[in-house]
Amino acid sequence: NHFIFLGLEYVNKKYFTLSSNIGTLTREDRSLLYVPSGTNSSLILRGAAVFKYLSLNTTLNVRYPTRIGIAPFISLGPRVDFLVSSEVNFDYLKHDDLNKALYGVVSGVGVQYEFSKFQMGLRTDILINFNKIIDNRTYRTEEQTVSCKTQLYGLTFGYRLR
């Protein structure tokens, strides 16, 4: 997985911020895919899948600033990912089975260091979907779906405009 986001904090208080982000997110799987087949067994598919999304989110970030400029934080908010392109090379799965939009929540933890008008930080986020990436109903007798939980690790850089 790789990603890049551009964000804006539009509410910035001492102990919390509210921010929105837009970016690109790529989810890749180049291994075995286990698809529930409706019975006690699963289909095991060997192949590759790459999903590229335009992602939007808004988060409430609760932080605890220290006197030396370090501020650990936790964040939570809604998100939606719009499918931009995909490469699916699994048998039994068709491009029509892909959901064009995924929606869910983003939750994260991290730490920021503020100096002058600049910010640097480290964060990790978990993206939880409320719907499935793949909803395969090609075989009407069995429902086959693929869900995904994504964990991201990243560096943050910021500049305060005022």
Side-chain angles (χ1 to χ4, degrees):
N1 297 326
H2 55 277
F3 64 97
I4 186 166
F5 282 90
L6 178 64
L8 176 67
E9 288 182 351
Y10 42 88
V11 175
N12 191 345
K13 302 294 181 183
K14 182 175 181 177
Y15 293 106
F16 73 92
T17 64
L18 188 63
S19 63
S20 291
N21 302 283
I22 184 170
T24 62
L25 171 65
T26 302
R27 292 183 170 114
E28 299 182 40
D29 184 1
R30 298 186 182 281
S31 59
L32 296 178
L33 181 66
Y34 297 91
V35 181
S37 66
T39 63
N40 290 337
S41 62
S42 295
L43 293 173
I44 301 174
L45 309 175
R46 185 179 301 276
V50 178
F51 307 102
K52 295 183 181 180
Y53 295 93
L54 173 67
S55 185
L56 305 166
N57 69 56
T58 297
T59 58
L60 174 66
N61 307 292
V62 179
R63 61 185 179 168
Y64 186 78
T66 64
R67 293 180 189 176
I68 58 173
I70 295 175
F73 65 89
I74 59 172
S75 63
L76 181 68
R79 51 168 269 283
V80 63
D81 300 335
F82 298 101
L83 185 64
V84 175
S85 68
S86 64
E87 299 171 25
V88 180
N89 297 316
F90 289 103
D91 293 338
Y92 306 108
L93 298 178
K94 311 277 188 259
H95 286 279
D96 294 341
D97 299 327
L98 300 175
N99 280 322
K100 305 300 185 228
L102 299 176
Y103 53 91
V105 296
V106 55
S107 64
V109 297
V111 63
Q112 285 183 327
Y113 176 66
E114 296 184 19
F115 55 98
S116 183
K117 288 190 163 207
F118 296 94
Q119 292 178 346
M120 291 179 23
L122 297 170
R123 71 178 298 135
T124 182
D125 293 298
I126 296 175
L127 309 180
I128 300 171
N129 297 324
F130 294 150
N131 60 337
K132 309 290 185 192
I133 291 178
I134 297 173
D135 192 3
N136 186 341
R137 298 178 193 276
T138 302
Y139 305 99
R140 299 293 178 206
T141 59
E142 299 176 350
E143 182 178 330
Q144 300 167 349
T145 60
V146 175
S147 60
C148 177
K149 291 181 187 171
T150 303
Q151 185 157 10
L152 305 174
Y153 300 95
L155 299 172
T156 63
F157 301 98
Y159 180 77
R160 188 182 329 236
L161 296 175
R162 43 180 173 145

